[in-house]
Amino acid sequence: TFINIIGLAVGLATCLLIFLYVTDELSYDKYNANADRIYRVNNEIKFNGNYIDLAQVPAVMGGAMLREMPQVEQYTRISRHESFLVKKGSDNIQEQRVAYADSTLFDVFTLPLIAGNARTALKDYHALVITETIAKKYFNSTDVVGKTMLMNDSVNYNISAVIKDIPTQSHFHFDFFVPMMENGGSTEDNWLSENYNTYILLKKNADARQVEAQLNPFMDRHVAPQLQGVLNVSLADFKKGGDYIRASLTPLTAIHLHSNKQDEFEGNGNADYVYIFSGIALMILLIACVNFMNLSTARSSNRAKEVGVRKALGSLKANLIQQFLAESFLISFIALMLAILMAWVLLPYFNQLAGKEIIAATLLQPTMLLSLIGLMLVVGLLAGSYPAFFLSSFQPIDVLKGKLATGFQRSWLRNSLVVFQFVISIALIFGTIVIYNQLN
């Protein structure tokens, strides 16, 4: 029983850690209240044999989409700012996470304010929106609206709002936002320059595919006059040479796992890893279940007389199945409790390995607990069903005559399970060694 519980607990703990990783990867940017209606606009350019796939678009594109496409409710732009040297006492501290942002930032993204007014926070020159961590770092308080911060020993910025720290599961993390109007190129009517990460909020029930279908004709209308004026070439001739300027939309929640364009704010994840790790978790769980079944059936000879006596005394097969399934669920429950404890202890090391910031409290969230209970029931049923039916099928007379051993040794299903278990184990070990050597 100890070996059974430990084996199942280790398998469940491993699956639990991988499940936390996969859940974390799939949750990026979903903290936004309108995440399902937010899209980033991209540009794809081919010119003179050069190809660029950009997460940025021209400065004027968002405003033009708002005017010309009725499905667009709002837009906002974010652009990297040079680092700040922030004065604190007699020291200048370099801060890298600085961005320009439109005043519509809070209309599109859900960035809860601790202090200040979202509608006016980024409407004045030298206004400054900072995160809770920065407020505490420089003032030891979040009640700092109206105070100033000296940047680069030259400009005083007035703190107009304090926002909560941007969640870890976000594709961008900035600590300082300054008004977009301070970026000189933000008002240029230049459709041949792409420097702004632009996001649109679609109206409810708007079809993103219809909006995306309008993008390339929309681009052609605006790009054609500037191609003629700047490059002295018509749009038709531009396209004849195989060149193009195209636009596309990426759903906000797909950026982290499905986007790998130039000028992303941060390095993104990879959907393939999510699928691979999910598959590995499933394989490990199957190995644990098969191990449970093998050990349970291997012990069946020790319980054969028990089954024989119970049947001789009048127990029905259904009663025995219920008994063995109940034992399976009990062992699964104990293993699950042990697995949660293991995962809790190992989580800091797992975070370090995976580059995550998953908190242990995640294990106690209602949805997580319900998922774990469901997993326990599935594992208990999956791992206990074969032993339950196998043990309950013993015939009392065969057991008492000692005929069980011969039949048990010839169990093709049990032998198949052993082979399956070793095949998956060897495949995982082999894959791990290959990947480890490749990384080295």
Side-chain angles (χ1 to χ4, degrees):
T1 302
F2 175 79
I3 294 172
N4 231 349
I5 290 173
I6 291 297
L8 199 55
V10 171
L12 285 171
T14 307
C15 290
L16 188 53
L17 289 172
I18 294 176
F19 178 68
L20 288 173
Y21 171 85
V22 170
T23 302
D24 185 83
E25 285 289 286
L26 293 174
S27 66
Y28 268 69
D29 293 301
K30 291 184 179 178
Y31 65 89
N32 291 282
N34 297 316
D36 59 330
R37 295 195 285 134
I38 303 173
Y39 294 81
R40 188 188 65 198
V41 191
N42 316 298
N43 263 184
E44 191 180 356
I45 302 166
K46 185 179 180 185
F47 181 61
N48 281 344
N50 297 313
Y51 174 77
I52 311 174
D53 191 11
L54 289 162
Q56 296 180 329
V57 296
V60 292
M61 187 166 178
M65 290 180 70
L66 182 64
R67 290 190 302 271
E68 300 177 28
M69 297 182 178
Q71 301 98 322
V72 177
E73 181 178 314
Q74 188 56 278
Y75 82 98
T76 195
R77 298 169 299 171
I78 303 175
S79 178
R80 289 189 187 278
H81 190 289
E82 294 178 359
S83 63
F84 271 153
L85 283 176
V86 185
K87 197 76 170 178
K88 184 180 182 182
S90 59
D91 298 325
N92 276 318
I93 301 174
Q94 189 168 37
E95 298 286 358
Q96 302 281 358
R97 306 206 303 188
V98 188
Y100 296 104
D102 282 315
S103 60
T104 54
L105 177 71
F106 300 102
D107 295 334
V108 177
F109 294 104
T110 303
L111 301 173
L113 268 73
I114 297 173
N117 187 326
R119 295 193 175 278
T120 60
L122 290 167
K123 284 195 172 180
D124 298 322
Y125 278 97
H126 301 327
L128 185 66
V129 175
I130 61 175
T131 60
E132 181 179 4
T133 294
I134 293 298
K136 291 178 179 178
K137 177 179 178 180
Y138 287 93
F139 299 98
N140 295 318
S141 170
T142 57
D143 186 18
V144 295
V145 172
K147 295 184 178 181
T148 61
M149 299 182 79
L150 181 61
M151 307 299 185
N152 301 325
D153 274 331
S154 59
V155 182
N156 275 310
Y157 276 82
N158 298 308
I159 300 174
S160 57
V162 179
I163 62 173
K164 290 185 178 180
D165 292 341
I166 296 174
T168 303
Q169 295 82 13
S170 176
H171 77 285
F172 65 79
H173 296 89
F174 294 106
D175 291 321
F176 299 83
F177 290 99
V178 297
M180 184 62 75
M181 65 182 75
E182 295 187 18
N183 184 328
S186 64
T187 57
E188 289 182 358
D189 185 18
N190 185 352
W191 286 85
L192 303 179
S193 175
E194 295 80 12
N195 295 304
Y196 297 85
N197 294 71
T198 302
Y199 303 84
I200 59 170
L201 174 66
L202 296 185
K203 293 178 180 177
K204 290 181 180 179
N205 301 320
D207 190 339
R209 288 171 297 182
Q210 290 182 1
V211 175
E212 194 165 35
Q214 300 173 43
L215 280 178
N216 288 327
F218 167 86
M219 288 293 293
D220 289 348
R221 286 198 308 274
H222 290 281
V223 167
Q226 296 195 0
L227 280 174
Q228 189 69 53
V230 177
L231 301 178
N232 198 27
V233 60
S234 69
L235 181 64
D237 291 337
F238 182 75
K239 290 185 174 182
K240 278 182 184 177
D243 297 327
Y244 55 78
I245 300 177
R246 298 172 181 165
S248 63
L249 298 178
T250 298
L252 179 67
T253 54
I255 290 175
H256 178 67
L257 289 179
H258 299 280
S259 180
N260 186 26
K261 300 180 183 294
Q262 188 173 319
D263 295 318
E264 300 273 359
F265 281 131
E266 298 177 7
N268 288 329
N270 191 322
D272 291 339
Y273 294 159
V274 172
Y275 302 139
I276 290 169
F277 288 132
S278 298
I280 289 173
L282 180 61
M283 291 297 102
I284 290 173
L285 186 61
L286 285 175
I287 289 173
C289 291
V290 169
N291 193 56
F292 182 100
M293 294 165 70
N294 286 339
L295 287 171
S296 297
T297 51
R299 294 172 57 218
S300 60
S301 58
N302 296 329
R303 304 195 65 177
K305 287 185 179 180
E306 175 193 343
V307 173
V309 170
R310 286 180 182 275
K311 282 196 169 184
L313 292 174
S315 288
L316 299 175
K317 183 176 181 179
N319 301 133
L320 293 171
I321 290 174
Q322 289 174 8
Q323 177 199 337
F324 291 126
L325 281 178
E327 291 178 9
S328 175
F329 286 128
L330 179 61
I331 290 175
S332 297
F333 176 76
I334 296 170
L336 179 62
M337 294 300 102
L338 190 57
I340 292 173
L341 181 61
M342 287 181 181
W344 191 292
V345 172
L346 293 173
L347 191 56
Y349 306 101
F350 180 77
N351 279 334
Q352 187 176 357
L353 177 71
K356 291 290 182 183
E357 296 180 21
I358 303 168
I359 58 175
T362 306
L363 293 168
L364 302 178
Q365 291 180 352
T367 52
M368 179 64 73
L369 289 175
L370 287 174
S371 299
L372 292 176
I373 292 170
L375 179 64
M376 181 203 73
L377 294 174
V378 170
V379 169
L381 184 62
L382 186 65
S385 56
Y386 174 60
F389 285 98
F390 181 80
L391 292 171
S392 63
S393 65
F394 292 167
Q395 297 300 318
I397 193 167
D398 291 334
V399 171
L400 297 176
K401 287 182 177 181
K403 294 181 179 180
L404 173 66
T406 304
F408 177 68
Q409 291 171 358
R410 293 176 181 173
S411 173
W412 65 268
L413 180 57
R414 182 170 178 272
N415 291 334
S416 299
L417 289 174
V418 172
V419 172
F420 170 82
Q421 185 180 15
F422 274 93
V423 166
I424 299 301
S425 299
I426 292 168
L428 288 175
I429 293 168
F430 182 72
T432 301
I433 293 171
V434 168
I435 291 171
Y436 178 78
N437 288 333
Q438 183 180 16
L439 286 172
N440 282 340

